[in-house]
Amino acid sequence: MARPIVAIIGRPNVGKSTLVNRLCRSRDAIVHDQPGVTRDRSYQEGFWADREFTVVDTGGLVFNDESEFLPEIRQQAELALTEAAIALIIVDGQQGLTVADEAIAEWIRSYDCKALVAVNKCESPEIGLSMAAEFWRLGLGNPYPVSAIHGVGTGDLMDKVVELLPPKELDAEGKDNIQVSIIGRPNVGKSSLLNAISGENRAIVSSIRGTTRDTIDTSIIRENRCWRLIDTAGIRRRKSVQYGPEFFGINRSFKAIERSDVCLLVVDALEGVTEQDQRLAGRIEQEGRACLIIVNKWDAVEKDTYTMPIIEKELRAKLYFLDWAKMLFTSALTGKRVEHIFRLASLAVEQHRRRVSTSVVNEVISEALSWRSPPTSRGGRQGRLYYATQVASAPPSFTLFVNEPKLFGDSYRRYIERQLREGLGFEGTPLKLFWRGKQQREVEREIARKQNNTPS
Ligand code: GDP
Ligand code: GDP
């Protein structure tokens, strides 16, 4: 599913990066105090409730003496706005309404996107409401008081953002649309599988032109869901393009992965896992997509009763980063097990979208802690894991609140992930774990306290 874009717009220093950090729960955007520092547009993934979107920080809109935007920055922001579903205008509540905010609001109105005003630096919810009130004058609807630093009001703001996002696509019968891609290097049997899937079953409902010029997406109803097969072009047209058969459009595959809810990663049973397969698999995991591994050409393998587990073990050793994905052995040629593809993909999608209550997560965590205590540093400091909560789905993402993330090495982090999987399932989907420290939280609070004491 192509993610809708939320463009963050505002003057320098109103707290755009801080808010992006909070919305995307990452620390990638850099917070700085210098106004007018030009940045490239930064794209980050955000998620809230069951929705995913891309957050674009346009950089601060700086004005020259004639109250015009600096051209380079304006251009960046314009580019972002033309593709945005929502413009999120950030203003500084402590500073109050400025002429520049008014100019920005007027400019935004000329774009065909929904707009929302977030009034930042409103640490107190009560005072915040009255601080936010004057931004009604921008004519962009109800202003939302928030504090990017403390997180006050950001939940309400995100509820509104999600409400304004374009609806998830539903097919004519109101079924869930699932974007699925068949990923793999040339010659593993992707087109043959696609034919086998569509041939044996006459449920193809439509061929719809895809969003990009030379792709054709096909919809199939299976397992009571509408599957939109993303054509990676490599599938249908490979033979007609001018490139040689060795040409492998890996970027095209990467794009298809990005658009997918679930990826069917096809590998060749005869050739095993190559480096190209590993790169595709790595990307699927990195993008947080659900996945089913299809080992195709199973008919051509000489085998006895023990062959399947032996081959599975060999393949898995090289695809260790997809150890959570199910493996299905098929033959596109004979049709063997092809009918299981959508059943297993469906299970993976369900897990990908699953949510688990905080109390259940913490039962698993406390069990995990009693089997194995967090590591202790050389200086004798003991890692402490206070509690955990699922903060998003698709893929299921958890924040773990700890005293100091540094104390938790890779092996303990992997242990916790394994325990979450053992306790909660999640077969077919990657998980994301965020380790959040106490110090980090205190620094954030300290900055906020200082800023509240400085008159602005
Ligand atoms: P940007 O230039 O709009 O991206 O702004 P930054 O995110 O870099 O923040 C500018 C300054 O405002 C920094 O010193 C932040 O610490 C501060 N700031 C950001 N959010 C808040 C907030 O919610 N409350 C207060 N009091 N200060 C904030
Ligand atoms: P793609 O490049 O991944 O789309 O692969 P194709 O579907 O074009 O298949 C490449 C070659 O593998 C063709 O010669 C197919 O006939 C053959 N092939 C595909 N699937 C199977 C299979 O399940 N068994 C065997 N033996 N050959 C297959």
Side-chain angles (χ1 to χ4, degrees):
M1 190 183 315
R3 294 187 201 104
I5 289 181
V6 179
I8 308 285
I9 309 278
R11 294 181 292 111
N13 265 319
V14 293
K16 292 184 297 303
S17 333
T18 314
L19 191 68
V20 170
N21 278 341
R22 182 166 284 281
L23 305 186
C24 299
R25 297 198 176 87
S26 80
R27 303 264 127 203
D28 294 347
I30 306 150
V31 180
H32 46 73
D33 282 321
Q34 223 180 324
V37 178
T38 332
R39 285 166 288 175
D40 283 326
R41 282 177 294 159
S42 82
Y43 287 82
Q44 290 188 64
E45 272 177 56
F47 34 77
W48 187 257
D50 62 342
R51 296 302 304 267
E52 280 189 342
F53 43 87
T54 301
V55 178
V56 186
D57 185 353
T58 55
L61 287 172
V62 185
F63 291 80
N64 65 14
D65 297 341
E66 280 88 51
S67 296
E68 288 166 343
F69 302 122
L70 296 185
E72 328 74 80
I73 299 181
R74 181 186 177 117
Q75 205 186 7
Q76 288 296 318
E78 273 172 350
L79 280 173
L81 277 174
T82 48
E83 52 181 16
I86 299 176
L88 186 52
I89 297 119
I90 319 293
V91 295
D92 186 329
Q94 293 187 0
Q95 206 178 4
L97 182 63
T98 68
V99 181
D101 294 333
E102 285 177 336
I104 291 172
E106 198 185 316
W107 177 63
I108 293 291
R109 277 191 238 111
S110 64
Y111 282 86
D112 181 27
C113 60
K114 293 173 179 155
L116 260 183
V117 178
V119 184
N120 193 32
K121 312 196 184 178
C122 294
E123 268 77 47
S124 143
E126 296 78 32
I127 305 170
L129 278 175
S130 65
M131 277 156 87
E134 73 169 310
F135 291 91
W136 267 105
R137 284 184 25 214
L138 293 178
L140 296 172
N142 195 6
Y144 283 78
V146 298
S147 166
I149 283 187
H150 288 239
V152 176
T154 51
D156 289 347
L157 176 68
M158 291 317 294
D159 285 346
K160 188 67 190 174
V161 166
V162 164
E163 190 189 310
L164 292 184
L165 288 176
K168 278 192 180 174
E169 291 173 277
L170 291 178
D171 73 318
E173 291 171 55
K175 289 194 181 75
D176 221 356
N177 250 318
I178 296 174
Q179 305 269 32
V180 53
S181 56
I182 306 180
I183 300 290
R185 42 191 184 84
N187 271 318
V188 293
K190 296 184 297 301
S191 349
S192 310
L193 276 168
L194 182 60
N195 288 339
I197 290 167
S198 27
E200 61 154 48
N201 158 349
R202 318 226 167 269
I204 293 196
V205 288
S206 57
S207 278
I208 309 159
R209 286 227 156 262
T211 42
T212 27
R213 197 164 37 85
D214 57 357
T215 66
I216 296 176
D217 293 351
T218 307
S219 296
I220 295 180
I221 306 274
R222 285 297 214 75
E223 301 287 318
N224 208 26
R225 291 195 150 110
C226 178
W227 303 80
R228 291 192 77 173
L229 279 153
I230 301 167
D231 181 16
T232 46
I235 298 189
R236 291 188 174 190
R237 259 159 239 254
R238 185 175 49 82
K239 289 174 191 88
S240 62
V241 285
Q242 59 272 46
Y243 316 111
E246 294 78 30
F247 176 78
F248 175 40
I250 195 154
N251 285 318
R252 221 189 265 274
S253 304
F254 285 172
K255 285 215 181 81
I257 293 171
E258 242 173 70
R259 285 178 60 203
S260 306
D261 296 308
V262 56
C263 300
L264 309 176
L265 177 67
V266 185
V267 298
D268 188 319
L270 297 169
E271 290 180 16
V273 171
T274 68
E275 200 190 317
Q276 287 178 328
D277 296 322
Q278 285 180 314
R279 291 199 56 197
L280 293 171
R283 186 55 83 108
I284 292 170
E285 196 256 356
Q286 212 181 323
E287 288 285 332
R289 306 294 141 186
C291 181
L292 170 66
I293 304 169
I294 298 181
V295 183
N296 190 40
K297 308 197 187 175
W298 193 238
D299 59 283
V301 174
E302 251 185 70
K303 49 191 167 290
D304 58 34
T305 345
Y306 304 105
T307 317
M308 200 186 279
I310 292 170
I311 293 202
E312 169 155 6
K313 202 169 164 203
E314 278 170 22
L315 297 174
R316 283 202 182 274
K318 288 196 175 156
L319 293 175
Y320 54 90
F321 28 81
L322 296 185
D323 57 358
W324 41 264
K326 266 204 159 73
M327 208 174 250
L328 180 68
F329 294 77
T330 64
S331 166
L333 208 64
T334 67
K336 184 117 183 146
R337 291 196 202 88
V338 169
E339 81 275 10
H340 295 311
I341 291 177
F342 285 109
R343 186 177 53 81
L344 296 178
S346 210
L347 292 177
V349 167
E350 272 158 30
Q351 294 303 311
H352 193 236
R353 296 176 172 180
R354 208 171 125 217
R355 283 189 167 272
V356 179
S357 74
T358 301
S359 60
V360 172
V361 174
N362 286 290
E363 259 171 54
V364 175
I365 293 291
S366 84
E367 187 80 0
L369 287 171
S370 49
W371 283 109
R372 188 171 151 188
S373 320
T376 308
S377 72
R378 255 187 244 139
R381 251 171 83 71
Q382 160 101 55
R384 290 198 187 288
L385 201 176
Y386 304 111
Y387 79 104
T389 180
Q390 184 175 354
V391 291
S393 60
S397 309
F398 298 86
T399 295
L400 298 112
F401 294 88
V402 300
N403 55 346
E404 207 177 298
K406 265 194 280 181
L407 292 170
F408 293 80
D410 280 350
S411 110
Y412 198 81
R413 289 181 183 211
R414 276 197 301 271
Y415 163 71
I416 291 293
E417 177 166 350
R418 268 198 315 276
Q419 293 297 307
L420 283 174
R421 284 188 182 281
E422 244 166 59
L424 305 171
F426 290 119
E427 191 166 38
T429 175
L431 301 181
K432 286 207 186 320
L433 268 52
F434 303 102
W435 295 76
R436 229 171 141 226
K438 201 172 169 185
Q439 209 183 359
Q440 213 172 336
R441 300 195 291 278
E442 269 167 11
V443 167
E444 286 168 4
R445 264 185 228 122
E446 183 56 28
I447 293 174
R449 259 197 297 274
K450 274 203 200 119
Q451 259 158 10
N452 283 344
N453 294 336
T454 348
S456 50

PDB file of all heavy atoms in Angstrom, residues 192-216:
ATOM      1  N   SER A 192       5.511 -18.237 -13.726  1.00  0.00           N
ATOM      2  CA  SER A 192       4.839 -19.540 -13.737  1.00  0.00           C
ATOM      3  C   SER A 192       3.925 -19.678 -12.533  1.00  0.00           C
ATOM      4  O   SER A 192       2.811 -20.194 -12.642  1.00  0.00           O
ATOM      5  CB  SER A 192       5.875 -20.661 -13.718  1.00  0.00           C
ATOM      6  OG  SER A 192       6.842 -20.439 -14.709  1.00  0.00           O
ATOM      7  N   LEU A 193       4.379 -19.185 -11.377  1.00  0.00           N
ATOM      8  CA  LEU A 193       3.535 -19.252 -10.183  1.00  0.00           C
ATOM      9  C   LEU A 193       2.294 -18.391 -10.353  1.00  0.00           C
ATOM     10  O   LEU A 193       1.188 -18.801 -10.004  1.00  0.00           O
ATOM     11  CB  LEU A 193       4.310 -18.794  -8.954  1.00  0.00           C
ATOM     12  CG  LEU A 193       5.179 -19.858  -8.279  1.00  0.00           C
ATOM     13  CD1 LEU A 193       6.121 -19.216  -7.276  1.00  0.00           C
ATOM     14  CD2 LEU A 193       4.305 -20.899  -7.568  1.00  0.00           C
ATOM     15  N   LEU A 194       2.509 -17.212 -10.910  1.00  0.00           N
ATOM     16  CA  LEU A 194       1.374 -16.318 -11.120  1.00  0.00           C
ATOM     17  C   LEU A 194       0.342 -16.987 -12.035  1.00  0.00           C
ATOM     18  O   LEU A 194      -0.858 -16.949 -11.766  1.00  0.00           O
ATOM     19  CB  LEU A 194       1.864 -15.005 -11.735  1.00  0.00           C
ATOM     20  CG  LEU A 194       0.799 -13.935 -11.975  1.00  0.00           C
ATOM     21  CD1 LEU A 194       0.120 -13.546 -10.668  1.00  0.00           C
ATOM     22  CD2 LEU A 194       1.398 -12.699 -12.617  1.00  0.00           C
ATOM     23  N   ASN A 195       0.829 -17.643 -13.091  1.00  0.00           N
ATOM     24  CA  ASN A 195      -0.087 -18.353 -13.986  1.00  0.00           C
ATOM     25  C   ASN A 195      -0.783 -19.499 -13.266  1.00  0.00           C
ATOM     26  O   ASN A 195      -1.977 -19.719 -13.452  1.00  0.00           O
ATOM     27  CB  ASN A 195       0.659 -18.898 -15.203  1.00  0.00           C
ATOM     28  CG  ASN A 195       1.040 -17.768 -16.137  1.00  0.00           C
ATOM     29  OD1 ASN A 195       0.447 -16.692 -16.084  1.00  0.00           O
ATOM     30  ND2 ASN A 195       2.040 -17.997 -16.963  1.00  0.00           N
ATOM     31  N   ALA A 196      -0.009 -20.206 -12.453  1.00  0.00           N
ATOM     32  CA  ALA A 196      -0.602 -21.330 -11.727  1.00  0.00           C
ATOM     33  C   ALA A 196      -1.686 -20.836 -10.772  1.00  0.00           C
ATOM     34  O   ALA A 196      -2.748 -21.436 -10.659  1.00  0.00           O
ATOM     35  CB  ALA A 196       0.481 -22.081 -10.961  1.00  0.00           C
ATOM     36  N   ILE A 197      -1.399 -19.749 -10.120  1.00  0.00           N
ATOM     37  CA  ILE A 197      -2.372 -19.188  -9.179  1.00  0.00           C
ATOM     38  C   ILE A 197      -3.630 -18.764  -9.917  1.00  0.00           C
ATOM     39  O   ILE A 197      -4.745 -19.072  -9.525  1.00  0.00           O
ATOM     40  CB  ILE A 197      -1.791 -17.933  -8.472  1.00  0.00           C
ATOM     41  CG1 ILE A 197      -0.692 -18.308  -7.494  1.00  0.00           C
ATOM     42  CG2 ILE A 197      -2.888 -17.160  -7.771  1.00  0.00           C
ATOM     43  CD1 ILE A 197       0.108 -17.106  -7.014  1.00  0.00           C
ATOM     44  N   SER A 198      -3.444 -18.060 -11.025  1.00  0.00           N
ATOM     45  CA  SER A 198      -4.626 -17.516 -11.691  1.00  0.00           C
ATOM     46  C   SER A 198      -5.291 -18.548 -12.594  1.00  0.00           C
ATOM     47  O   SER A 198      -6.498 -18.511 -12.780  1.00  0.00           O
ATOM     48  CB  SER A 198      -4.295 -16.240 -12.465  1.00  0.00           C
ATOM     49  OG  SER A 198      -2.967 -16.232 -12.870  1.00  0.00           O
ATOM     50  N   GLY A 199      -4.499 -19.477 -13.133  1.00  0.00           N
ATOM     51  CA  GLY A 199      -5.054 -20.470 -14.041  1.00  0.00           C
ATOM     52  C   GLY A 199      -6.016 -21.424 -13.363  1.00  0.00           C
ATOM     53  O   GLY A 199      -7.156 -21.593 -13.791  1.00  0.00           O
ATOM     54  N   GLU A 200      -5.578 -21.998 -12.256  1.00  0.00           N
ATOM     55  CA  GLU A 200      -6.374 -23.022 -11.604  1.00  0.00           C
ATOM     56  C   GLU A 200      -7.636 -22.450 -10.996  1.00  0.00           C
ATOM     57  O   GLU A 200      -8.508 -23.162 -10.580  1.00  0.00           O
ATOM     58  CB  GLU A 200      -5.553 -23.673 -10.493  1.00  0.00           C
ATOM     59  CG  GLU A 200      -5.146 -22.663  -9.450  1.00  0.00           C
ATOM     60  CD  GLU A 200      -4.910 -23.292  -8.094  1.00  0.00           C
ATOM     61  OE1 GLU A 200      -4.213 -24.301  -8.022  1.00  0.00           O
ATOM     62  OE2 GLU A 200      -5.458 -22.756  -7.119  1.00  0.00           O
ATOM     63  N   ASN A 201      -7.694 -21.154 -10.918  1.00  0.00           N
ATOM     64  CA  ASN A 201      -8.788 -20.585 -10.174  1.00  0.00           C
ATOM     65  C   ASN A 201      -9.280 -19.397 -10.969  1.00  0.00           C
ATOM     66  O   ASN A 201      -8.520 -18.532 -11.325  1.00  0.00           O
ATOM     67  CB  ASN A 201      -8.192 -20.212  -8.823  1.00  0.00           C
ATOM     68  CG  ASN A 201      -8.950 -19.176  -8.075  1.00  0.00           C
ATOM     69  OD1 ASN A 201      -9.856 -18.530  -8.600  1.00  0.00           O
ATOM     70  ND2 ASN A 201      -8.588 -18.968  -6.863  1.00  0.00           N
ATOM     71  N   ARG A 202     -10.547 -19.393 -11.253  1.00  0.00           N
ATOM     72  CA  ARG A 202     -11.040 -18.371 -12.177  1.00  0.00           C
ATOM     73  C   ARG A 202     -11.491 -17.113 -11.440  1.00  0.00           C
ATOM     74  O   ARG A 202     -12.383 -16.419 -11.872  1.00  0.00           O
ATOM     75  CB  ARG A 202     -12.186 -18.929 -13.023  1.00  0.00           C
ATOM     76  CG  ARG A 202     -11.935 -20.307 -13.490  1.00  0.00           C
ATOM     77  CD  ARG A 202     -12.230 -20.545 -14.950  1.00  0.00           C
ATOM     78  NE  ARG A 202     -11.663 -21.816 -15.363  1.00  0.00           N
ATOM     79  CZ  ARG A 202     -10.448 -21.975 -15.865  1.00  0.00           C
ATOM     80  NH1 ARG A 202      -9.668 -20.945 -16.053  1.00  0.00           N
ATOM     81  NH2 ARG A 202      -9.989 -23.174 -16.191  1.00  0.00           N
ATOM     82  N   ALA A 203     -10.901 -16.878 -10.326  1.00  0.00           N
ATOM     83  CA  ALA A 203     -11.390 -15.779  -9.493  1.00  0.00           C
ATOM     84  C   ALA A 203     -10.746 -14.428  -9.790  1.00  0.00           C
ATOM     85  O   ALA A 203     -10.915 -13.494  -9.048  1.00  0.00           O
ATOM     86  CB  ALA A 203     -11.187 -16.108  -8.030  1.00  0.00           C
ATOM     87  N   ILE A 204     -10.014 -14.352 -10.882  1.00  0.00           N
ATOM     88  CA  ILE A 204      -9.436 -13.048 -11.196  1.00  0.00           C
ATOM     89  C   ILE A 204     -10.563 -12.084 -11.503  1.00  0.00           C
ATOM     90  O   ILE A 204     -11.391 -12.360 -12.352  1.00  0.00           O
ATOM     91  CB  ILE A 204      -8.513 -13.113 -12.420  1.00  0.00           C
ATOM     92  CG1 ILE A 204      -7.310 -13.940 -12.058  1.00  0.00           C
ATOM     93  CG2 ILE A 204      -8.120 -11.729 -12.885  1.00  0.00           C
ATOM     94  CD1 ILE A 204      -6.176 -13.779 -13.004  1.00  0.00           C
ATOM     95  N   VAL A 205     -10.628 -10.997 -10.772  1.00  0.00           N
ATOM     96  CA  VAL A 205     -11.759 -10.121 -10.989  1.00  0.00           C
ATOM     97  C   VAL A 205     -11.448  -8.986 -11.949  1.00  0.00           C
ATOM     98  O   VAL A 205     -12.300  -8.527 -12.664  1.00  0.00           O
ATOM     99  CB  VAL A 205     -12.326  -9.561  -9.676  1.00  0.00           C
ATOM    100  CG1 VAL A 205     -13.049 -10.646  -8.930  1.00  0.00           C
ATOM    101  CG2 VAL A 205     -11.240  -8.949  -8.829  1.00  0.00           C
ATOM    102  N   SER A 206     -10.230  -8.554 -11.951  1.00  0.00           N
ATOM    103  CA  SER A 206      -9.959  -7.421 -12.831  1.00  0.00           C
ATOM    104  C   SER A 206      -8.476  -7.263 -13.065  1.00  0.00           C
ATOM    105  O   SER A 206      -7.662  -7.752 -12.293  1.00  0.00           O
ATOM    106  CB  SER A 206     -10.473  -6.145 -12.192  1.00  0.00           C
ATOM    107  OG  SER A 206      -9.871  -6.004 -10.925  1.00  0.00           O
ATOM    108  N   SER A 207      -8.151  -6.614 -14.132  1.00  0.00           N
ATOM    109  CA  SER A 207      -6.785  -6.174 -14.346  1.00  0.00           C
ATOM    110  C   SER A 207      -6.832  -4.660 -14.378  1.00  0.00           C
ATOM    111  O   SER A 207      -7.466  -4.073 -15.225  1.00  0.00           O
ATOM    112  CB  SER A 207      -6.252  -6.697 -15.674  1.00  0.00           C
ATOM    113  OG  SER A 207      -5.822  -8.012 -15.485  1.00  0.00           O
ATOM    114  N   ILE A 208      -6.181  -4.082 -13.411  1.00  0.00           N
ATOM    115  CA  ILE A 208      -6.275  -2.635 -13.279  1.00  0.00           C
ATOM    116  C   ILE A 208      -4.902  -2.059 -13.602  1.00  0.00           C
ATOM    117  O   ILE A 208      -3.894  -2.618 -13.181  1.00  0.00           O
ATOM    118  CB  ILE A 208      -6.613  -2.256 -11.826  1.00  0.00           C
ATOM    119  CG1 ILE A 208      -7.826  -3.066 -11.360  1.00  0.00           C
ATOM    120  CG2 ILE A 208      -6.863  -0.779 -11.679  1.00  0.00           C
ATOM    121  CD1 ILE A 208      -7.927  -3.162  -9.869  1.00  0.00           C
ATOM    122  N   ARG A 209      -4.884  -0.982 -14.331  1.00  0.00           N
ATOM    123  CA  ARG A 209      -3.583  -0.333 -14.581  1.00  0.00           C
ATOM    124  C   ARG A 209      -2.989   0.111 -13.255  1.00  0.00           C
ATOM    125  O   ARG A 209      -3.665   0.699 -12.433  1.00  0.00           O
ATOM    126  CB  ARG A 209      -3.740   0.886 -15.467  1.00  0.00           C
ATOM    127  CG  ARG A 209      -3.995   0.532 -16.862  1.00  0.00           C
ATOM    128  CD  ARG A 209      -3.160   1.290 -17.879  1.00  0.00           C
ATOM    129  NE  ARG A 209      -3.121   0.430 -19.054  1.00  0.00           N
ATOM    130  CZ  ARG A 209      -2.118  -0.370 -19.338  1.00  0.00           C
ATOM    131  NH1 ARG A 209      -1.038  -0.368 -18.600  1.00  0.00           N
ATOM    132  NH2 ARG A 209      -2.168  -1.156 -20.372  1.00  0.00           N
ATOM    133  N   GLY A 210      -1.749  -0.198 -13.089  1.00  0.00           N
ATOM    134  CA  GLY A 210      -1.089   0.168 -11.831  1.00  0.00           C
ATOM    135  C   GLY A 210      -0.754   1.638 -11.820  1.00  0.00           C
ATOM    136  O   GLY A 210      -1.022   2.350 -12.778  1.00  0.00           O
ATOM    137  N   THR A 211      -0.191   2.056 -10.715  1.00  0.00           N
ATOM    138  CA  THR A 211       0.086   3.483 -10.601  1.00  0.00           C
ATOM    139  C   THR A 211       1.269   3.888 -11.483  1.00  0.00           C
ATOM    140  O   THR A 211       1.300   4.979 -12.007  1.00  0.00           O
ATOM    141  CB  THR A 211       0.401   3.851  -9.148  1.00  0.00           C
ATOM    142  OG1 THR A 211       1.232   2.831  -8.625  1.00  0.00           O
ATOM    143  CG2 THR A 211      -0.851   3.992  -8.345  1.00  0.00           C
ATOM    144  N   THR A 212       2.222   3.003 -11.633  1.00  0.00           N
ATOM    145  CA  THR A 212       3.345   3.368 -12.491  1.00  0.00           C
ATOM    146  C   THR A 212       3.065   2.908 -13.904  1.00  0.00           C
ATOM    147  O   THR A 212       2.362   1.939 -14.128  1.00  0.00           O
ATOM    148  CB  THR A 212       4.659   2.750 -12.008  1.00  0.00           C
ATOM    149  OG1 THR A 212       4.349   1.574 -11.317  1.00  0.00           O
ATOM    150  CG2 THR A 212       5.410   3.707 -11.136  1.00  0.00           C
ATOM    151  N   ARG A 213       3.615   3.597 -14.837  1.00  0.00           N
ATOM    152  CA  ARG A 213       3.297   3.464 -16.248  1.00  0.00           C
ATOM    153  C   ARG A 213       3.270   2.011 -16.732  1.00  0.00           C
ATOM    154  O   ARG A 213       2.321   1.587 -17.361  1.00  0.00           O
ATOM    155  CB  ARG A 213       4.298   4.279 -17.053  1.00  0.00           C
ATOM    156  CG  ARG A 213       3.893   4.577 -18.457  1.00  0.00           C
ATOM    157  CD  ARG A 213       4.779   5.702 -18.983  1.00  0.00           C
ATOM    158  NE  ARG A 213       6.158   5.590 -18.499  1.00  0.00           N
ATOM    159  CZ  ARG A 213       7.089   4.838 -19.071  1.00  0.00           C
ATOM    160  NH1 ARG A 213       6.805   4.147 -20.137  1.00  0.00           N
ATOM    161  NH2 ARG A 213       8.305   4.793 -18.582  1.00  0.00           N
ATOM    162  N   ASP A 214       4.326   1.282 -16.413  1.00  0.00           N
ATOM    163  CA  ASP A 214       4.411  -0.022 -17.067  1.00  0.00           C
ATOM    164  C   ASP A 214       4.110  -1.192 -16.143  1.00  0.00           C
ATOM    165  O   ASP A 214       4.659  -2.253 -16.272  1.00  0.00           O
ATOM    166  CB  ASP A 214       5.788  -0.186 -17.704  1.00  0.00           C
ATOM    167  CG  ASP A 214       6.881  -0.019 -16.677  1.00  0.00           C
ATOM    168  OD1 ASP A 214       6.542   0.275 -15.501  1.00  0.00           O
ATOM    169  OD2 ASP A 214       8.048  -0.184 -17.002  1.00  0.00           O
ATOM    170  N   THR A 215       3.254  -0.981 -15.166  1.00  0.00           N
ATOM    171  CA  THR A 215       2.893  -2.135 -14.362  1.00  0.00           C
ATOM    172  C   THR A 215       1.403  -2.409 -14.495  1.00  0.00           C
ATOM    173  O   THR A 215       0.608  -1.505 -14.721  1.00  0.00           O
ATOM    174  CB  THR A 215       3.196  -1.925 -12.870  1.00  0.00           C
ATOM    175  OG1 THR A 215       2.344  -0.897 -12.395  1.00  0.00           O
ATOM    176  CG2 THR A 215       4.632  -1.544 -12.631  1.00  0.00           C
ATOM    177  N   ILE A 216       1.056  -3.643 -14.390  1.00  0.00           N
ATOM    178  CA  ILE A 216      -0.351  -4.012 -14.408  1.00  0.00           C
ATOM    179  C   ILE A 216      -0.625  -4.792 -13.137  1.00  0.00           C
ATOM    180  O   ILE A 216       0.008  -5.802 -12.872  1.00  0.00           O
ATOM    181  CB  ILE A 216      -0.677  -4.890 -15.630  1.00  0.00           C
ATOM    182  CG1 ILE A 216      -0.456  -4.069 -16.899  1.00  0.00           C
ATOM    183  CG2 ILE A 216      -2.116  -5.398 -15.548  1.00  0.00           C
ATOM    184  CD1 ILE A 216      -0.645  -4.860 -18.163  1.00  0.00           C
TER     185      ILE A 216
END
